[in-house]
Amino acid sequence: MTAVSPTVVSPTGFSPAAFVDVRDLSVDFKTRNGTVHAVRHVSFTLEKGRTLGIVGESGSGKSVTSYALMRILDAAGVIAGGGIGFDGMDIAAASERTMRDIRGREISMIFQNPRAALDPIRKVGHQIEDVLRQHVQADRSNAYEKAIEALTAVRINNPRERYHAYPFELSGGMCQRIVIALALACRPQLLIADEPTTGLDVTTQKAVMDLVAELTRARGMAMILITHDLGLAATYCDHLIVMKSGEVVESAPALELFRNPRHAYTKKLLKATPHGCASVRDLLPEDEAPRAPAAPLAVAKDRTPLLVVDRLVKEYPLKSARSGVFRAVDGISFTVGRGESVGLVGESGCGKSTTSAIIMRLLDPTSGTIRFDGVDVGATPAAKFARSPLRGRLQMVFQDATDSLNPRFTARRAIADPLLRLGAGGEGGPMPKAEIGARVEELAALCGLPAHLLDRFPHQLSGGQKARVGIARAIAVSPDLLVLDEPTAALDVSVQAVVLNLLVDLKDKLGMSYLFVSHDLAVVKLLCARVIVMKGGRIVEEGACDQVLGAPRHDYTRSLIAAIPHPPL
Amino acid sequence: MTSSRTVIVLKRFAQAIPTLFGVIVVTFLLTRALPGDPAAYFAGPAATPESIAQVRAALGLDQPLPAQFARYLQDLATGNLGQSISTGQTVLSDILTRLPASLELTLSALLLSLAIAMPLGILAATRQNTMVDHVCRAVVTAGVSLPVFFTGLALVYVFYYQLGVAPAPIGRLDFAYISPSPVTGFFVIDALLAGDGETASAALGQLVLPAVTLAIFTLAPLARMTRAAMLQVLASDFIRTARAAGLSRRKILLGSALRNALLPVVTTFGMVFSFALGANVLVEKVFAWPGIGSYAVEALVVSDYAAVQGFVLVMAILFVVINLLIDLSYTLIDPRVGFDG
């Protein structure tokens, strides 16, 4: 190889045409149990002004690919093979010093969980200045003005005031804007967005993604969007690659991928994404053993509903204002019928979690009544409800399957826990030890958890398996009402599809009622006949799912529906 | 923002008041609960019941407890901590001469300890499971497992007896020098203030070995805490953001990471300080350091109650003050303090 000019023509021979040229990239991680091939022979190219989506589920290697692109892998990770070309330069061979100049100035990255991505004890304005001054885009005299400029570019109101804010004083959406401002401050050529909207509300997600798309387009930047959400990727990307277990299984223009997916995994992912399908069964792959069609979702019409919530109010004293109180739940009333599934939908801070905690009798309301099967359960204080005979009939599946399991309990012990405390029917004394073993195995079978996994600890189980343990534990004492608090929010779509189907089956078999708390209207629609939309502690709309989603009456419901990213079908 | 922080600081100050009052009540009750009759003790071995009663009345011990407490408060307010029977001086003047000695020793030892422990902890955290990390672990384990009287004696043996580079371990200053007039009570600083460089260097020479001894002992908790806190911070998301933004390694380590890791280190520092101040008796004994720890032990041995009471009171007040300072430094380091809790 004869290099004419050592700086212009890279000896590695990356074509100068492709702005980003990843060829045959492999990344290995050295762990105690040997080498893990996290990324295997991944290739793709990206031109300026274009957007590439890397789609895959957890563990697919999509984030590792992007970390390799910036060379910010953990100490255990190494680029084991292949090359990364960026603007004619060989990233894999570049010195650490060169990389430091490239990071933040040429290639920038934004992350999921934006609040954690910012230094918690440094003013956000100073964090932006740090980046500007590192890359000599500003000096002491004009750093402040440049930081304000960067904040203005991401449309933060009152940038001069926000400059002095700490991350904990800002909302999640606001923090993500700060992270974007920080990433774009030095006008980089390539932006890598790693799950930038996971954990944000749908309307915030739309605002953030629209902002990113607009800024990158205006500046003629290239963007790589890493996401598990096919709908999001399709809405904002020109070209998609699908990754599974470290490999690219399919690469196609976004529209093409949706209209004509070729790989079985892509098909499975597309199917599992709950958009516009009629039944929860549609989420499962076709080749899976055929199941009985799910029972039609019906709005309960009985005169004596199982749960009657009347003018429920929960107030919290405000710290700053001396006399003021914050109404988290502001006088809401609704019912849940026997055998009915009701969805409780809203964005973070709307009061849906507070409401579900009050109904579960984990929290006391300020005023209002809760009648469960004719009994005023609100009259028993939450602190004493554990001893109420009704405790076993009201159970909950928690949002985070990992954090809601005791790390020192095996799956068997976790499922047996309510039996040991409440007994089989939730009444009388604990279940005799001899019967518990059989009951736990029965529950595991019911929830599709293989018996050999029962003796494992939570860290030895996958996300989907942990979700099954959480569900088995909740139904162990045969509750009448199950409160499901975003039970699939932390799961991959294909696992979510399976868990949602399990929930539908269990409801049909056991005749429970569900109160399904979620921010995802598309999921709620598959599970619930009726939906309640909350905003600011109040119910803004309530009705049959088809009607609320098909012909929403309230503006807020309309904006919620509009914010859901729709695949271009 | 700033005004609310001022409120937090003022509140924290206000919280120290009931603690101080509790300390006074406890020291008062403590001496009343100790075995033996102080009146009989002060009256001497040849006393008659009448003379004991006289002494009791003179000491106010025949009064009911609340009245005695009122008198105790009155005494405290005027700085009267009683008379030490072993030294013949007032307890207040004893403590005022000996406390600065202990503070000078402890402070310089801890500053030295910090100066070694923090870089060591940071290095160990950034180069986990390498040679530096193992060295750090070895130093820390050795420091905490060797008793201070042993390290002290070993240092004296090597540097004074064998090499002759250190002065004799005979207290704060060699007899050849005159103590500087007290301003801060710290000999080195006082001598420098007086412009007496020779005395200052002599005092510093005396200080080095005991300070090193104590520093070796207090190194362990500080180094370990720095390492653990740095490891945790370095694994967090905002460090990844800083790396992705191209910030230099130095800036990441010493800017964001260290500042965030400082809170647990400061907490540990406060605990080690309080602990070292009262517990360096052995170091003081080995180096004939006229500190407050050895004073208290001597007083305890001869049942010098007024001195013990004064010691307990002063130490308790110091603990409260140190904790107050630590808490106040939190508000400087972490803007979230007072908002989460």
Side-chain angles (χ1 to χ4, degrees):
Chain A
M1 203 162 291
T2 51
V4 181
S5 157
T7 48
V8 177
V9 178
S10 157
T12 46
F14 286 108
S15 78
F19 183 57
V20 179
D21 186 358
V22 173
R23 280 192 198 170
D24 208 27
L25 176 72
S26 294
V27 178
D28 286 354
F29 278 86
K30 296 203 164 44
T31 70
R32 262 184 296 178
N33 306 322
T35 304
V36 176
H37 306 288
V39 171
R40 285 176 289 183
H41 309 293
V42 166
S43 301
F44 59 83
T45 58
L46 174 63
E47 298 302 334
K48 265 191 196 174
R50 307 285 285 173
T51 302
L52 172 78
I54 305 182
V55 184
E57 297 188 299
S58 45
S60 63
K62 56 190 194 301
S63 289
V64 173
T65 306
S66 64
Y67 289 178
L69 238 162
M70 289 194 90
R71 287 256 311 271
I72 53 169
L73 291 164
D74 292 342
V78 286
I79 296 175
I84 303 162
F86 171 76
D87 209 4
M89 209 183 87
D90 184 5
I91 292 274
S95 71
E96 181 56 31
R97 202 187 176 78
T98 316
M99 281 317 298
R100 208 154 54 218
D101 286 341
I102 288 176
R103 288 182 207 127
R105 201 177 66 193
E106 303 294 329
I107 311 177
S108 271
M109 196 157 180
I110 58 179
F111 303 94
Q112 61 175 314
N113 196 359
R115 190 172 284 123
L118 292 167
D119 188 339
I121 59 173
R122 195 160 166 76
K123 288 178 178 179
V124 296
H126 291 165
Q127 297 190 39
I128 295 173
E129 283 185 6
D130 286 343
V131 181
L132 285 167
R133 291 179 64 175
Q134 176 74 38
H135 296 295
V136 209
Q137 305 284 308
D139 54 33
R140 195 181 290 271
S141 62
N142 62 2
Y144 175 76
E145 283 309 319
K146 291 246 183 181
I148 297 295
E149 223 173 82
L151 287 173
T152 314
V154 293
R155 293 206 203 92
I156 283 177
N157 295 327
N158 297 330
R160 279 168 209 284
E161 215 170 281
R162 292 285 173 259
Y163 174 95
H164 296 286
Y166 293 97
F168 73 97
E169 297 171 312
L170 302 171
S171 69
M174 191 78 93
C175 281
Q176 191 59 291
R177 278 168 202 265
I178 305 280
V179 176
I180 295 168
L182 203 143
L184 298 187
C186 298
R187 302 195 161 256
Q189 315 250 21
L190 169 65
L191 179 72
I192 301 174
D194 184 8
E195 303 264 13
T197 57
T198 306
L200 299 181
D201 288 322
V202 273
T203 48
T204 317
Q205 163 171 294
K206 186 165 164 32
V208 165
M209 282 312 299
D210 286 350
L211 175 71
V212 170
E214 193 192 313
L215 287 174
T216 48
R217 200 180 308 127
R219 297 179 181 191
M221 294 167 61
M223 175 161 86
I224 297 177
L225 174 66
I226 291 156
T227 178
H228 65 279
D229 187 340
L230 268 169
L232 188 73
T235 312
Y236 294 97
C237 300
D238 310 311
H239 193 96
L240 297 183
I241 63 176
V242 181
M243 285 186 73
K244 179 176 186 275
S245 323
E247 286 173 5
V248 174
V249 295
E250 187 158 359
S251 166
L255 272 175
E256 176 73 21
L257 191 92
F258 269 85
R259 293 202 179 124
N260 188 18
R262 286 185 308 259
H263 195 276
Y265 180 70
T266 315
K267 286 179 192 161
K268 184 179 156 193
L269 265 189
L270 274 175
K271 233 176 160 324
T273 308
H275 290 300
C277 49
S279 158
V280 66
R281 294 287 185 248
D282 294 342
L283 299 176
L284 295 172
E286 279 150 6
D287 53 355
E288 203 163 272
R291 297 201 195 195
L297 298 165
V299 176
K301 296 227 161 42
D302 51 350
R303 294 219 182 129
T304 54
L306 182 65
L307 180 78
V308 182
V309 175
D310 190 31
R311 282 165 291 168
L312 196 67
V313 173
K314 179 69 185 174
E315 287 176 344
Y316 289 102
L318 281 178
K319 268 186 199 161
S320 49
R322 215 142 275 178
S323 55
V325 286
F326 169 66
R327 279 204 165 192
V329 178
D330 193 2
I332 64 169
S333 307
F334 65 91
T335 63
V336 177
R338 287 167 208 279
E340 193 186 23
S341 287
V342 175
L344 192 57
V345 179
E347 297 191 295
S348 51
C350 74
K352 61 184 192 299
S353 294
T354 311
T355 305
S356 63
I358 293 172
I359 291 169
M360 265 306 290
R361 304 305 301 119
L362 299 173
L363 207 62
D364 283 320
T366 307
S367 67
T369 57
I370 311 150
R371 298 188 82 81
F372 178 75
D373 203 10
V375 183
D376 183 5
V377 289
T380 314
K384 292 196 177 137
F385 198 75
R387 280 186 293 266
S388 160
L390 290 170
R391 173 73 287 172
R393 296 177 61 191
L394 256 171
Q395 289 289 304
M396 187 162 187
V397 177
F398 297 92
Q399 177 167 13
D400 191 318
T402 308
D403 280 355
S404 59
L405 290 177
N406 185 333
R408 288 170 187 270
F409 277 6
T410 59
R412 187 187 299 280
R413 179 67 182 80
I415 298 170
D417 205 38
L419 297 171
L420 288 164
R421 289 169 198 277
L422 299 170
E427 282 155 41
M431 198 176 198
K433 286 241 160 68
E435 293 170 32
I436 286 180
R439 173 70 176 150
V440 168
E441 270 159 37
E442 183 194 341
L443 287 163
L446 206 55
C447 295
L449 187 72
H452 70 269
L453 297 179
L454 277 175
D455 292 310
R456 291 201 184 173
F457 288 96
H459 71 271
Q460 298 165 315
L461 297 169
S462 72
Q465 288 161 350
K466 278 184 277 203
R468 286 176 201 270
V469 174
I471 294 168
R473 176 177 62 180
I475 63 169
V477 287
S478 314
D480 295 323
L481 177 66
L482 201 55
V483 175
L484 301 152
D485 185 9
E486 309 238 16
T488 59
L491 301 175
D492 282 327
V493 277
S494 60
V495 183
Q496 167 175 284
V498 176
V499 171
L500 290 178
N501 273 281
L502 169 68
L503 287 171
V504 168
D505 291 342
L506 285 175
K507 183 170 159 297
D508 290 348
K509 265 185 223 161
L510 306 175
M512 292 177 285
S513 302
Y514 284 167
L515 181 64
F516 191 91
V517 181
S518 178
H519 68 280
D520 192 340
L521 274 167
V523 171
V524 166
K525 184 188 151 207
L526 296 173
L527 233 71
C528 302
R530 208 145 58 78
V531 63
I532 296 165
V533 183
M534 277 185 80
K535 181 177 192 277
R538 294 176 188 222
I539 294 176
V540 296
E541 186 157 0
E542 182 181 357
C545 260
D546 295 339
Q547 179 260 312
V548 172
L549 267 91
R553 287 189 304 262
H554 196 276
D555 284 345
Y556 178 68
T557 319
R558 268 194 284 274
S559 73
L560 266 188
I561 295 169
I564 302 173
H566 285 289
L569 286 175
Chain B
M1 179 76 220
T2 17
S3 68
S4 64
R5 195 179 285 188
T6 320
V7 169
I8 293 165
V9 170
L10 288 177
K11 264 190 190 162
R12 186 60 191 80
F13 266 111
Q15 279 169 8
I17 294 171
T19 320
L20 279 177
F21 186 73
V23 163
I24 292 170
V25 170
V26 169
T27 37
F28 169 73
L29 292 177
L30 187 71
T31 35
R32 297 304 180 277
L34 284 175
D37 184 353
Y41 187 85
F42 279 111
T48 59
E50 287 77 37
S51 61
I52 292 178
Q54 231 171 0
V55 171
R56 180 169 293 131
L59 289 173
L61 293 176
D62 55 342
Q63 305 279 318
L65 270 185
Q68 288 189 35
F69 184 62
R71 188 173 157 168
Y72 178 63
L73 283 183
Q74 219 173 351
D75 282 348
L76 280 187
T78 54
N80 179 8
L81 294 177
Q83 196 96 16
S84 162
I85 30 174
S86 47
T87 64
Q89 304 282 317
T90 62
V91 172
L92 185 67
S93 76
D94 275 349
I95 287 177
L96 281 184
T97 53
R98 285 175 163 259
L99 186 62
S102 280
L103 279 177
E104 185 178 37
L105 174 59
T106 312
L107 269 179
S108 41
L110 282 178
L111 286 182
L112 182 66
S113 180
L114 261 190
I116 301 169
M118 293 203 32
L120 203 61
I122 294 169
L123 273 178
T126 49
R127 295 184 171 74
Q128 212 189 339
N129 292 326
T130 62
M131 213 47 216
V132 186
D133 195 12
H134 297 315
V135 167
C136 170
R137 196 168 298 144
V139 167
V140 158
T141 315
V144 81
S145 6
L146 294 174
V148 280
F149 63 84
F150 173 78
T151 4
L153 286 176
L155 288 177
V156 169
Y157 178 76
V158 173
F159 290 100
Y160 168 63
Y161 185 71
Q162 291 287 344
L163 301 177
V165 290
I170 48 163
R172 302 181 77 183
L173 206 51
D174 197 278
F175 302 120
Y177 299 92
I178 301 162
S179 307
S181 62
V183 182
T184 60
F186 292 5
F187 277 10
V188 179
I189 295 175
D190 285 350
L192 284 178
L193 287 178
D196 184 352
E198 209 177 322
T199 310
S201 75
L204 189 65
Q206 294 289 344
L207 185 60
V208 168
L209 282 194
V212 168
T213 309
L214 196 55
I216 290 175
F217 186 66
T218 52
L219 201 66
L222 292 172
R224 287 218 72 89
M225 190 47 82
T226 309
R227 178 179 180 271
M230 281 300 279
L231 275 180
Q232 200 193 346
V233 171
L234 285 174
S236 51
D237 285 0
F238 63 88
I239 296 295
R240 187 187 54 192
T241 310
R243 287 178 68 199
L247 294 192
S248 66
R249 193 179 158 77
R250 193 187 153 76
K251 190 142 197 178
I252 293 175
L253 268 185
L254 302 183
S256 357
L258 186 59
R259 248 191 97 202
N260 274 283
L262 221 47
L263 271 187
V265 177
V266 167
T267 311
T268 318
F269 182 77
M271 287 187 331
V272 171
F273 192 1
S274 316
F275 171 76
L277 201 57
N280 56 10
V281 186
L282 288 171
V283 182
E284 291 180 0
K285 282 283 174 199
V286 168
F287 292 94
W289 198 263
I292 196 163
S294 47
Y295 175 70
V297 170
E298 281 156 23
L300 203 60
V301 168
V302 299
S303 303
D304 189 352
Y305 290 144
V308 172
Q309 191 179 22
F311 168 78
V312 172
L313 185 65
V314 167
M315 289 312 285
I317 290 172
L318 263 178
F319 274 45
V320 171
V321 170
I322 288 168
N323 275 310
L324 181 66
L325 290 178
I326 296 291
D327 279 8
L328 292 182
S329 69
Y330 285 173
T331 60
L332 290 180
I333 297 170
D334 193 340
R336 291 165 297 182
V337 167
F339 293 89
D340 300 349

